[in-house]
Amino acid sequence: MRSTTNGAAAPWDAAAVVMIAQELKDLDGPLLPILHAVNDRFGFIDERAVPLIADVLNLTRAEVHGVVSFYHDFRRAPAGRHVIKVCCAEACQAMGCERVVAEVEEELGVALGGTTPDNRVTLEPVYCLGNCALSPAALVDGKLHGRMDGARLLALVRGAGR
Ligand code: FES
């Protein structure tokens, strides 16, 4: 699982993005490894990284942007201090993950994919955590939990600290 909080994320550094892209550009299918490396380093993929990566790979900005947008692994903005990922794949859907998401969204006042205004919690979808037998599943700051309901997940969020 990729980074779950932005606590260790590095500040924006264009030269570092170019260096990452240069180091990985000769891989077979270099775009995804580069995006993962940038996402891991900065905690998200800054818009400013897109043209830099496109230049190194000789791609259009639209091509890079399309890949960033397509994969849920890539964050487009910095995360809050705590990251809650609710599984929205098939088995968890069958066990009511949409209800879990709706309760958490309402209580925290944030939509799936967003971060609370106080920057405390980012709520994100994830697509199968390999915990289907205990669905609905969720990650709270990288820790896997099963048989979630809204109340249990909210209690975990409250217990996560400030
Ligand atoms: S579908 Fe949710 S853990 Fe597999």
Side-chain angles (χ1 to χ4, degrees), residues 87-92 127-132 135 137:
C87 180
C88 296
E90 202 171 320
C92 288
Y127 294 90
C128 197
L129 293 165
N131 198 38
C132 313
S135 56

Side-chain angles (χ1 to χ4, degrees), residues 37-49:
V38 170
N39 196 69
D40 285 351
R41 176 158 182 155
F42 299 101
F44 72 109
I45 298 182
D46 195 299
E47 255 330 293
R48 293 172 288 183

Side-chain angles (χ1 to χ4, degrees), residues 33-126:
I34 290 169
L35 292 174
H36 277 298
V38 170
N39 196 69
D40 285 351
R41 176 158 182 155
F42 299 101
F44 72 109
I45 298 182
D46 195 299
E47 255 330 293
R48 293 172 288 183
V50 170
L52 301 175
I53 295 167
D55 282 353
V56 171
L57 297 183
N58 202 20
L59 297 171
T60 66
R61 293 176 186 200
E63 285 170 316
V64 176
H65 207 274
V67 173
V68 173
S69 307
F70 182 78
Y71 288 96
H72 297 281
D73 267 1
F74 301 132
R75 201 171 274 137
R76 314 275 296 279
R81 297 188 294 284
H82 302 286
V83 177
I84 315 303
K85 292 178 182 261
V86 181
C87 180
C88 296
E90 202 171 320
C92 288
Q93 275 181 25
M95 294 303 285
C97 68
E98 282 151 6
R99 206 168 42 249
V100 175
V101 168
E103 286 177 40
V104 173
E105 283 180 327
E106 183 171 338
E107 179 69 22
L108 297 181
V110 64
L112 197 61
T115 298
T116 55
D118 63 359
N119 208 36
R120 180 171 175 267
V121 176
T122 294
L123 180 64
E124 296 179 331
V126 66

